[in-house]
Amino acid sequence: MSTKKMNLMELSSTINSSWKLCLTGSLFGCIFLIFFLNQNDHNLSLFTARNTVQVFDEAEAPMSSSWSSWSTMISDPPKPSTIISLYNPPILASSLINEIPKPGNFSSTPIEQPKSTHTENLNIPFERSEKAINNTSDPKKCNMFDGRWVYKPDENPYYDSNTCPFVEEKMSCRKNGRPDFEYERWRWEANHCDIPLFNGRDMLERLRNKRVIIVGDSLNRNMWESLSCLLYSSVPSSRVEVEAKGSQYKVLKAKDYNTIVEFHWSPFLVEFDVNHKTGKNVLLLDKLSPNAKLWRGADVMVFNSAHWWTHKGKYKKWDFIKYKGQLLEEMPVEVAYERGMKTWAKWVEKNVDSTKTKVFFRSVSAQHNGRRGCYNVTWPIIIDEDHQGYINHFPKQLITKIENVINGINKVKVNYLNITKLSEYRIDAHPSLYRSSWKWKLYTTKYKRLIPSYADCSHWCLPGLPDTWNRLLYASLFFDTSRNTSTF
């Protein structure tokens, strides 16, 4: 074979080998590229998910360093024995504290404020969020008001009661010397749905150019103080105007949002005349409270009336009841209550524009007086399943009456903020003896036998339980709760 042919054969063999090597390398290169792109796409998805803006999770952000230092004041806090639940069996504390949060639609990404156009018109309709409360199972079973309290040992309050200017003395439990703070570290979780955490800036943005009124007794004032502190702590204090010195009218205005939040004292919602011509205190069942003229035009209305109707003996507020022109010394309390609430319901139907205003009625706030008083109680309780154990002094007929009245309102939807059951668990959250910065020392040393009558087992410490009421109000206002079942 000639030298030329041999050279050609060697060249052909070399080309074939190089081609095979190139083909093999290209194949491995394609496989690597596909794997790299797939992995990169996965990472990109995770990055996108983690940076998705949510409007209700800012409350998860760490609070100031002063709050974290408070936790060191309790060297060895007691550990809870159960998750408090009406329907679920007790769960051991170890599983409670180490519980991994359930996945939901709510991240911990700080909120980014949406851009809005300022307007001077307070009477603009609500824009309902398209985001539904995350339902973890059957939509028909989702009810925010049925659930359990879960202990969160590392959770800090939303605000500092020492610096919030709205908290009256009897609610300032820390300032008054209460030594335990575990009552601040319980979070309400619904049984079958996830509830958004409270976000003050988001609520203010959604309430831009709107007016909120909270009307009722001292427990609704408790709720107003909570909501005001939650909002106040969300913005610079210099951008908030406050008038809260009086007990019968209080107002907060967030300047940058033109949002107004008011409290109006009206424990019966109907007129209570302490200057009647008879010289007696008279409750007028068919005439609404005189300050009702100030309620008109609000965009959100939150009412309550219950406890003052049940006071007996020397604590009874009225001497006579007036109904249809007649002064009556006696009337069954459930009859009087129903007639008074029907007067309120007629006012709502006549004066509320349902296209503009959202109306709420807050249910009975549980009390824990009597033998099982709240003194020295530092953990929640388990309620008997008959749902009667701790408000048996409050007539169950009255709860039925107000629910029936709300059911009978046709022209306006009245939302029932049913916090009774979840509040019953929280015997630990009352001011008890710490309703005063100094009197508790006197009672614990000299007047121990008077402690049951002095301890405040009706109102609630702040921060505390009313913050959860306002979280549920926030969720009810701005998130799609249409899938939730309700009691009315």
Side-chain angles (χ1 to χ4, degrees):
M1 185 179 295
S2 66
T3 303
K4 185 175 182 179
K5 281 187 176 183
M6 290 177 65
N7 289 338
L8 287 173
M9 290 177 65
E10 289 175 359
L11 178 62
S12 176
S13 176
T14 301
I15 291 172
N16 288 337
S17 298
S18 298
W19 173 253
K20 291 178 181 177
L21 181 62
C22 181
L23 184 62
T24 303
S26 299
L27 179 61
F28 279 105
C30 289
I31 294 172
F32 176 79
L33 183 60
I34 291 171
F35 175 81
F36 175 80
L37 289 175
N38 181 64
Q39 184 67 23
N40 190 55
D41 180 65
H42 175 69
N43 292 333
L44 181 61
S45 299
L46 288 175
F47 176 82
T48 303
R50 287 170 183 164
N51 288 275
T52 302
V53 175
Q54 303 289 345
V55 298
F56 33 72
D57 53 13
E58 186 186 355
E60 289 280 62
M63 304 296 281
S64 65
S65 58
S66 62
W67 285 101
S68 60
S69 65
W70 275 358
S71 62
T72 62
M73 296 177 66
I74 303 177
S75 59
D76 188 18
K79 292 182 172 51
S81 59
T82 59
I83 291 179
I84 308 304
S85 175
L86 185 63
Y87 301 110
N88 298 334
I91 300 176
L92 294 178
S94 58
S95 62
L96 169 62
I97 295 177
N98 298 321
E99 182 183 45
I100 300 175
K102 296 178 181 178
N105 291 339
F106 314 115
S107 74
S108 57
T109 309
I111 184 173
E112 178 179 304
Q113 284 296 323
K115 296 179 180 179
S116 295
T117 303
H118 288 262
T119 172
E120 296 302 317
N121 178 21
L122 282 170
N123 300 330
I124 57 178
F126 280 98
E127 294 181 2
R128 294 284 291 184
S129 170
E130 294 181 0
K131 173 71 77 174
I133 289 182
N134 185 40
N135 189 354
T136 57
S137 60
D138 185 352
K140 295 180 180 179
K141 294 182 179 179
C142 181
N143 183 348
M144 291 192 301
F145 306 108
D146 277 333
R148 61 183 184 172
W149 287 99
V150 177
Y151 180 63
K152 301 286 184 177
D154 298 322
E155 186 157 295
N156 290 317
Y158 288 107
Y159 55 88
D160 184 345
S161 62
N162 290 299
T163 59
C164 180
F166 320 113
V167 182
E168 56 190 299
E169 184 185 21
K170 62 184 175 184
M171 318 301 183
S172 302
C173 299
R174 278 183 182 258
K175 187 183 295 185
N176 292 340
R178 179 166 175 167
D180 67 294
F181 310 137
E182 299 308 299
Y183 66 91
E184 296 177 349
R185 298 188 173 106
W186 294 86
R187 183 188 296 173
W188 177 252
E189 291 187 0
N191 282 336
H192 301 289
C193 49
D194 292 337
I195 309 168
L197 296 177
F198 186 90
N199 188 305
R201 280 194 294 159
D202 177 59
M203 187 172 192
L204 284 170
E205 185 60 53
R206 294 173 185 270
L207 290 174
R208 185 181 289 276
N209 302 307
K210 299 189 191 299
R211 176 172 165 248
V212 179
I213 64 168
I214 298 179
V215 183
D217 57 23
S218 59
L219 287 157
N220 252 18
R221 187 168 63 217
N222 211 171
M223 185 177 182
W224 179 89
E225 292 172 5
S226 163
L227 180 58
S228 295
C229 287
L230 288 166
L231 298 177
Y232 180 81
S233 64
S234 304
V235 295
S237 58
S238 61
R239 306 305 300 158
V240 178
E241 293 179 357
V242 182
E243 177 56 52
K245 294 181 180 179
S247 61
Q248 299 198 6
Y249 177 73
K250 296 175 181 285
V251 60
L252 171 145
K253 181 176 181 180
K255 298 178 184 178
D256 295 333
Y257 300 89
N258 195 28
T259 301
I260 297 172
V261 184
E262 302 172 358
F263 168 74
H264 295 270
W265 172 258
S266 184
F268 294 107
L269 298 182
V270 294
E271 184 172 354
F272 181 50
D273 189 355
V274 296
N275 297 307
H276 195 266
K277 61 184 180 181
T278 61
K280 301 293 186 178
N281 295 334
V282 179
L283 184 62
L284 293 79
L285 298 182
D286 44 13
K287 188 175 181 181
L288 207 66
S289 178
N291 64 0
K293 59 182 180 291
L294 303 175
W295 309 344
R296 294 192 182 100
D299 300 276
V300 180
M301 298 177 172
V302 183
F303 296 96
N304 95 296
S305 184
H307 295 285
W308 276 46
W309 296 84
T310 65
H311 293 173
K312 298 178 180 179
K314 65 179 181 179
Y315 299 107
K316 184 179 177 182
K317 300 302 181 182
W318 66 82
D319 299 303
F320 293 100
I321 287 177
K322 188 174 182 179
Y323 183 66
K324 292 186 176 181
Q326 289 187 324
L327 280 177
L328 305 169
E329 192 170 356
E330 295 294 337
M331 180 182 291
V333 65
E334 63 273 13
V335 175
Y337 183 67
E338 181 179 33
R339 289 172 175 172
M341 293 304 95
K342 284 184 176 179
T343 298
W344 164 78
K346 289 176 183 177
W347 181 91
V348 169
E349 288 194 307
K350 184 178 179 180
N351 293 276
V352 171
D353 181 354
S354 60
T355 64
K356 166 184 132 36
T357 300
K358 302 296 180 184
V359 182
F360 293 83
F361 192 98
R362 182 184 58 73
S363 69
V364 174
S365 169
Q367 296 179 333
H368 299 90
N369 296 316
R371 293 179 182 177
R372 304 180 184 182
C374 62
Y375 173 59
N376 263 355
V377 179
T378 58
W379 293 97
I381 55 177
I382 296 177
I383 302 292
D384 296 332
E385 291 194 10
D386 62 5
H387 191 48
Q388 296 177 7
Y390 297 95
I391 58 167
N392 54 9
H393 65 282
F394 192 93
K396 188 175 181 180
Q397 301 97 312
L398 269 64
I399 297 175
T400 302
K401 292 295 184 185
I402 188 58
E403 291 178 351
N404 290 340
V405 168
I406 291 173
N407 272 328
I409 299 176
N410 297 315
K411 296 181 181 179
V412 179
K413 177 179 172 59
V414 176
N415 302 279
Y416 193 45
L417 200 65
N418 194 0
I419 54 82
T420 302
K421 193 181 297 182
L422 64 90
S423 299
E424 283 185 306
Y425 300 124
R426 299 307 309 278
I427 190 172
D428 61 310
H430 295 292
S432 186
L433 291 190
Y434 304 100
R435 57 190 288 184
S436 167
S437 60
W438 63 273
K439 287 185 179 179
W440 64 270
K441 298 177 183 178
L442 190 64
Y443 279 87
T444 53
T445 55
K446 293 186 177 181
Y447 304 114
K448 290 184 179 181
R449 63 185 179 83
L450 299 178
I451 286 176
S453 60
Y454 176 78
D456 184 349
C457 301
S458 299
H459 299 97
W460 306 95
C461 293
L462 293 178
L465 177 64
D467 301 333
T468 295
W469 299 354
N470 284 310
R471 178 188 170 202
L472 297 175
L473 174 66
Y474 168 66
S476 300
L477 272 171
F478 304 120
F479 298 89
D480 183 7
T481 61
S482 60
R483 296 182 299 174
N484 288 10
T485 58
S486 181
T487 58
F488 69 94

